[in-house]
Amino acid sequence: MDPRFIATSNDPWAVATSYLIAAFASYVAIDLARRVRDRDGRLVARWWAAGAFAMGTGVWSMHFMAMLGFEAGIVIGFAPGKTLLSWLAAVLAGSIALAVGARARLTRRALVLATGPIAAAILVMHYLGMAAAELVPGIAWDWPIVAASAGVALGTAAAALLIFFRLRDPRLAGRWTLQLGAALVMGLAIAAVHFTGMAAVRMPLGSVCISGDGLRGFGLQALTGTLTFVLLGAVLLTSIADARRRSEGRLRSSLQAADDRLQRLAFVDALTGLPNRALFYDRLEHAGAQHPGPSGASGGNASTPRVAVLFVDLDGFKPINEAYGRTAGDTLLRAAASRLQQCARAGDTVARIASDEFVLLLEDEDAAAAALQMADRVLQALQQPFSTIGPGVSLSCSVGIALHPDHGAVDVLVERAEAAMAAAKRSGGGRWAVFEGRMAGDVAEQVTLQQELRGALARGELSLHYQPKAHAASGAVNSVEALMRWQHPQRGWVSPAVFIPLAERFGLIGALGDWVIDEACAQIARWNADGRRCQVAINVSAQQLRQSELPARVAGAIQRHGIDPLQLVLEITETAMMENIAAQGALLGELAAIGVRLSIDDFGTGYSSLAYLRRLPVHQLKLDLSLVQDIDRDADARAVLHAVVQLAHALRLEVVAEGVETAEQARILRSQGCDLLQGWHIARPMPAAQLLPWLEQHERDRGVRAPAVGTQSTAAVTAQPA
């Protein structure tokens, strides 16, 4: 010890208490660093001010209590004015630290720029507080240690900022433990600044404190410590309460948002944003309550209709969806929904209730007139091209209209509007129809019939009839087309024109098609066993063409029944084949690789050209009835027929003419070069048991015998009526 200076020491209790205050203040400061990031500007300002006050007071209190415990053998007091200024410096340091802590992120530049002012404010607090002890002669400072205290202050400031940013995320795992550990470390750092600065104090012998009657004494020390603990505790409890309140608020907001989303999912169509079926029926029920109609009435014309439902179904949506893909189909549905909303008036409800089915609810003084006007607007709007899908892509729609109370209570309006829509679609589509009483019976009949059709296979009610095809030149027959027939136990023979469209609508055509493939192959095998090799062609539906496993099913049936693949011909309608030329071409290539022959059915009804046929592995072209029926009386029809046959032969395709009903038609078709003729002029469809006797009689009458299979023959999944 230098004999020129007074020996000094620190009260251990004051040191311990001051450290606890520094650690507590650090803990509260870290907690407040999260509060100042609130999105509410007013709350940010309040927490920043409260945090700066509490943090600055805590740090200052640690310094002041340690100063009060400083012992030099003389009475030491502190001037109030300078002491107050030192407190303000501590609050300034806290305000800067919290302001930087509120930033979105801590850049290196921000860290460097903020560390200096915070360290300077801490040093000002300490040395100004020391200066409040007014000594004569003055303190002789050890400047190297003063410089060291400045370095400690800079390190403490930087560490505090880094800790603020590291621990302010409430999602941080183990955050409370980390916060406590960080507070203890920060407390040590703050204490290090103070005691490093105190180590630089040199008090000359004979020094007198002229502010000895100022702030001093154990009582002031105890009071300062107590008030500081109370202040920091109050701020911390307030922060915790606020955090809990805000957490509960966020939870309530999240629950409300979740409830809103559930409500939206429950009542809004996710694809189009329109009301869904549930919301539509709710509004329909409300409309019925507002316009109940005559007492006890379920129909009739006792009053002017006030409520109308329009059922809108898109015509031709499925082919477009398949040709352009699901994403394009969704885009088209959204565009259609937008157009329907544009057609609707304020107060009308537009909803999507199924894939391509929409409904509109109208309430009007004269709902019948409003519904007809709306139907016209809808037809015109949906007929416009959908340029976002592709050039020239357009479709139409069928609209059904039902009115309340004319057509019944509101709870049956959708069903009856759908029945009217179905009638409009059966009439060709692209039009509207108003519900009539007979339509309800049609819908019920279709539902009943499709249910009976589902069990027809299991009950053995379905069978194949075979219609011969004759070589145009010789009249010989070695190929047939199989046509599906349904013998209903009560209804008798049900026309394919009735049950095939029904099967397509209700998703049964795939199962029927698989049955036809297997049954046709089985029949070929039976004829082979009887010594009659015959070629049978079966029509493949558009739905089957969309099934990648079709080639495997065909190959499996051929192998299972042990037949020659050349004995099976698959007829595919022109429209189905052209829906997606790329995808269909790949699948047809797989079928051709099996060895079966491929035929384009109903040629002349779709939108293909013979140029496309060069890209497909087809062997046969089957002319549609429309190209055959007028050739015996219309020169233009004969010219078209001639051109098609010549082009088909140029592509090495065999030409089959179906619907041949007269000898004159047969003569013209032979003269035009058709290869095979099929129709009632040759023979009507017949059960398999009758075909062999017919063939034998036909060969005897004509004196011909068909060569072994190497030419043609046919069986139809779509079971066209004969």
Side-chain angles (χ1 to χ4, degrees), residues 14 85 90 186 215 224 226 242 282 352 356 391-392 394 466 486 548 585 598 630 660:
L85 290 177
M186 282 183 62
L215 303 174
T224 301
T226 301
D242 178 74
D282 181 72
R352 177 176 178 241
D356 60 343
S394 60
Y466 300 88
W486 181 12
S548 60
L598 302 177
D630 293 330
V660 183

Side-chain angles (χ1 to χ4, degrees), residues 20-335:
L20 290 176
I21 291 176
F24 193 14
S26 299
Y27 187 92
V28 174
I30 295 171
D31 196 74
L32 293 175
R34 292 194 303 276
R35 302 282 84 79
V36 296
R37 297 195 69 223
D38 194 293
R39 294 183 179 180
D40 189 327
R42 291 174 299 177
L43 288 178
V44 168
R46 292 173 184 173
W47 278 114
W48 174 76
F53 175 79
M55 181 179 175
T57 299
V59 173
W60 172 86
S61 176
M62 172 267 161
H63 157 79
F64 187 62
M65 287 189 64
M67 292 289 294
L68 290 174
F70 182 71
E71 297 176 350
I74 62 174
V75 176
I76 298 177
F78 299 91
K82 293 179 180 179
T83 301
L84 177 62
L85 290 177
S86 70
W87 172 78
L88 291 175
V91 172
L92 176 62
S95 65
I96 297 173
L98 290 178
V100 176
R103 293 172 59 91
R105 61 191 184 94
L106 182 62
T107 63
R108 183 176 299 177
R109 175 183 173 83
L111 179 62
V112 172
L113 292 178
T115 298
I118 294 173
I122 293 174
L123 291 171
V124 168
M125 173 204 70
H126 174 75
Y127 289 104
L128 190 57
M130 285 296 298
E134 299 172 343
L135 298 176
V136 177
I139 297 173
W141 296 100
D142 186 334
W143 293 109
I145 297 180
V146 170
S149 70
V152 175
L154 286 169
T156 300
L161 292 176
L162 290 172
I163 290 173
F164 284 175
F165 272 84
R166 180 72 179 90
L167 299 181
R168 69 183 184 177
D169 186 353
R171 298 169 298 179
L172 187 65
R175 181 173 59 82
W176 297 110
T177 302
L178 291 173
Q179 182 171 330
L180 178 60
L184 295 175
V185 172
M186 282 183 62
L188 284 174
I190 294 170
V193 175
H194 172 81
F195 290 106
T196 302
M198 292 301 295
V201 173
R202 297 291 184 268
M203 298 178 63
L205 287 172
S207 294
V208 176
C209 181
I210 62 176
S211 57
D213 58 350
L215 303 174
R216 66 184 180 86
F218 177 77
L220 180 60
Q221 187 182 44
L223 178 62
T224 301
T226 301
L227 291 178
T228 302
F229 272 108
V230 170
L231 171 64
L232 293 175
V235 172
L236 180 61
L237 290 175
T238 304
S239 175
I240 293 173
D242 178 74
R244 181 171 298 176
R245 178 185 61 81
R246 294 183 61 75
S247 177
E248 292 174 351
R250 285 192 297 269
L251 179 60
R252 285 194 297 270
S253 298
S254 297
L255 290 175
Q256 184 61 48
D259 184 65
D260 292 343
R261 178 167 177 76
L262 288 174
Q263 289 288 329
R264 179 174 176 81
L265 290 174
F267 295 110
V268 177
D269 176 60
L271 177 64
T272 63
L274 294 177
N276 62 9
R277 178 186 295 269
L279 181 55
F280 181 83
Y281 274 98
D282 181 72
R283 293 185 179 177
L284 180 60
E285 182 180 356
H286 181 267
Q290 294 293 110
H291 309 288
S295 177
S298 62
N301 296 304
S303 65
T304 302
R306 300 291 182 88
V307 179
V309 169
L310 280 70
F311 196 106
V312 181
D313 183 85
L314 303 182
D315 300 329
F317 170 72
K318 182 175 288 186
I320 291 177
N321 196 34
E322 294 295 335
Y324 292 92
R326 299 291 180 182
T327 300
D330 290 346
T331 301
L332 188 149
L333 289 173
R334 283 191 289 267

